[in-house]
Amino acid sequence: QVHLVESGGGLVQAGGSLRLSCIARGLVLGIDEMGWYRQTPGKQQELVARIGNRGQTDYADSAKGRCTLSRDNAKNTMYLQMNNLKPEDTGVYTCNALIRTPQTHGIKTLGYWGQGIQVTVSS
């Protein structure tokens, strides 16, 4: 079994910083793309940033210039450094990853989601 564990959320004042982490645990043979998504009340879940297995990144316009996404493949971990946070960054941040893992009939690449972590930015 595989599961994603998120950490680093919390309450911060506008202009502050947070670093979110997502670690994949379990029968992980390799990880392709990883990403962070944000859910805010009344809105659809949206991509914040994603990173490929060679480190190539893609950011939402709202994250560009303020967020840096990185990963440590040896630790099966992804990090999202968020700076100059704004109240509109408030939401539940959820980690997603495409993971190669052994299944009954061979190795499969499957998508996994974390539980989500709250980020609250006060004005």
Side-chain angles (χ1 to χ4, degrees):
Q1 279 193 337
V2 171
H3 57 281
L4 301 177
V5 180
E6 300 130 326
S7 61
L11 173 64
V12 64
Q13 287 189 331
S17 298
L18 283 174
R19 189 193 194 207
L20 304 184
S21 298
C22 172
I23 183 169
R25 290 181 171 154
L27 297 176
V28 178
L29 300 180
I31 303 176
D32 294 338
E33 185 177 285
M34 304 181 79
W36 285 99
Y37 291 76
R38 177 175 63 222
Q39 177 75 61
T40 54
K43 291 186 177 181
Q44 284 190 324
Q45 188 181 55
E46 59 180 346
L47 174 71
V48 178
R50 57 189 172 193
I51 185 167
N53 57 5
R54 288 171 292 178
Q56 66 274 33
T57 54
D58 183 26
Y59 296 92
D61 288 342
S62 60
K64 289 178 182 176
R66 298 188 299 122
C67 297
T68 302
L69 187 62
S70 61
R71 61 190 284 174
D72 184 335
N73 291 332
K75 296 180 179 179
N76 293 332
T77 302
M78 171 179 62
Y79 306 97
L80 180 66
Q81 177 67 42
M82 302 189 292
N83 299 323
N84 190 22
L85 283 161
K86 303 175 181 180
E88 50 263 43
D89 294 318
T90 295
V92 175
Y93 286 69
T94 307
C95 171
N96 172 262
L98 295 175
I99 296 175
R100 295 192 299 282
T101 182
Q103 299 290 294
T104 302
H105 299 295
I107 296 170
K108 305 287 186 183
T109 298
L110 302 175
Y112 292 88
W113 291 92
Q115 292 293 316
I117 191 167
Q118 179 69 42
V119 170
T120 303
V121 184
S122 62
S123 57

